[in-house]
Amino acid sequence: MSSLRLLTSAARRASSITIGRRGYAEVNDKLKLSLVLPHQAIFTSTDVVQVNIAAEAGDMGILANHVPSIEVLRPGVVEVIETTGASKKWFTSSGFATVHPNNKLTINVVEAAPLEDFSLEAVRTNLVEALKVASGSGSEADKTEARIEADVYETLQHALAK
């Protein structure tokens, strides 16, 4: 009988709890972005409209009121859409993106460079060289390293071709 009273009491308490509803981002809602490298902060709690990231689970766009989450980043482009409507793109190495409550986003990466700093021709040349090493007769460690390098160059080449 005491089990029934416990369940009834818990059910009454659960029905009296109000749960906040998540909604769509309003036009005026901003996201506070911090994009940080070990040696430099590119953004520090800067208001932005949207951030697009290359997550391991797939590409995703983050707006204000996004559900809190932690995403592992793969090498790829982080695009920041500023409040002025301007878009800035960085090619980043792997890292983490953490969406915090209250419209905060922290992105921690080891390396990042503006996408415009890369030359498509140089990337293509380096990709060919990495593929030669990956398919060559070197050590397994050299081949594996070259394959990783080639994967990054292929991703970078794709980003530059857009």
Side-chain angles (χ1 to χ4, degrees):
M1 201 58 140
S2 64
S3 299
L4 180 59
R5 274 188 241 138
L6 178 65
L7 286 174
T8 305
S9 174
R12 263 190 249 124
R13 273 188 257 136
S15 64
S16 67
I17 296 173
T18 57
I19 299 173
R21 274 206 184 261
R22 298 195 60 79
Y24 294 105
E26 296 294 326
V27 174
N28 295 331
D29 289 345
K30 303 296 180 247
L31 188 63
K32 292 235 181 257
L33 171 65
S34 295
L35 176 57
V36 182
L37 292 86
H39 61 281
Q40 174 188 10
I42 297 173
F43 288 99
T44 307
S45 292
T46 305
D47 284 341
V48 300
V49 175
Q50 180 175 346
V51 179
N52 300 318
I53 61 172
E56 282 289 335
D59 294 347
M60 62 187 290
I62 301 168
L63 297 164
N65 299 319
H66 194 282
V67 65
S69 65
I70 298 173
E71 300 295 332
V72 177
L73 301 178
R74 67 181 192 279
V77 175
V78 170
E79 178 183 20
V80 177
I81 301 171
E82 297 178 315
T83 56
T84 61
S87 171
K88 293 185 177 178
K89 296 180 181 182
W90 283 267
F91 190 82
T92 62
S93 65
S94 60
F96 292 91
T98 306
V99 182
H100 305 275
N102 302 323
N103 298 327
K104 294 180 183 175
L105 171 63
T106 304
I107 300 175
N108 297 303
V109 294
V110 177
E111 298 173 311
L115 194 57
E116 68 231 17
D117 287 359
F118 294 94
S119 158
L120 185 56
E121 294 76 32
V123 168
R124 286 182 177 151
T125 301
N126 291 338
L127 174 59
V128 168
E129 185 60 34
L131 290 172
K132 282 181 189 174
V133 173
S135 63
S137 60
S139 71
E140 284 304 313
D142 289 343
K143 288 181 186 181
T144 301
E145 188 176 311
R147 186 66 235 162
I148 292 168
E149 189 177 332
D151 288 345
V152 171
Y153 281 127
E154 286 170 349
T155 303
L156 186 52
Q157 178 177 283
H158 179 71
L160 289 170
K162 287 185 178 181

